[in-house]
Amino acid sequence: MTQGNPVVGWGTTEDGQHVPIHADLAKALFDAADAAKAKREADMPNEQAAIQALNAAVLRLADFGWRDPVYTSKTVPLELLEAGSTGIHKGFYDGEWPTGRWYIVDGDIWPSRPVLARVT
């Protein structure tokens, strides 16, 4: 423990290491989260503004090849985007359309509800 800066939690790095989170880092993370929330509130002060931002993001992502998953291939590997995640996930569709399911593969296989997809 660092004097005056105790360990207040643990984090996991991308390579799987468990590392201590000291009080100063925890405070910085919470401050950044609060600042990001304040920016979202300023940029999108109401539902209509948030809907317009979402539509603009979907249109811009279409420029990069992203489509509604309903209109993408169901027979080849895909990249998937999920609401609430900032990652691009490798995935696939399993089963007969429309009764099958979407899955993400990242060392394990997880059910998915993608909002956008593109062929890899």
Side-chain angles (χ1 to χ4, degrees):
M1 170 171 64
T2 305
Q3 192 70 348
N5 189 21
V7 172
V8 295
W10 291 86
T12 305
T13 62
E14 287 185 26
D15 65 2
Q17 286 184 300
H18 294 283
V19 296
I21 297 176
H22 293 274
D24 61 349
L25 176 58
K27 181 179 181 336
L29 292 171
F30 278 103
D31 289 348
D34 289 342
K37 184 176 188 284
K39 182 175 182 342
R40 286 192 307 274
E41 290 170 348
D43 291 347
M44 299 174 280
N46 55 48
E47 280 185 347
Q48 191 57 45
I51 291 167
Q52 290 170 345
L54 177 61
N55 187 56
V58 169
L59 292 173
R60 181 64 178 129
L61 287 165
D63 295 340
F64 298 106
W66 293 95
R67 303 286 177 258
D68 184 323
V70 170
Y71 302 112
T72 58
S73 173
K74 312 298 183 293
T75 61
V76 299
L78 300 167
E79 292 179 315
L80 305 175
L81 297 180
E82 292 186 306
S85 173
T86 58
I88 296 174
H89 307 285
K90 300 292 184 195
F92 64 95
Y93 185 84
D94 183 52
E96 293 293 320
W97 181 257
T99 58
R101 296 202 57 183
W102 300 98
Y103 292 94
I104 288 175
V105 179
D106 68 352
D108 205 344
I109 298 176
W110 305 93
S112 177
R113 291 180 48 199
V115 295
L116 295 173
R118 72 177 171 192
V119 174
T120 57

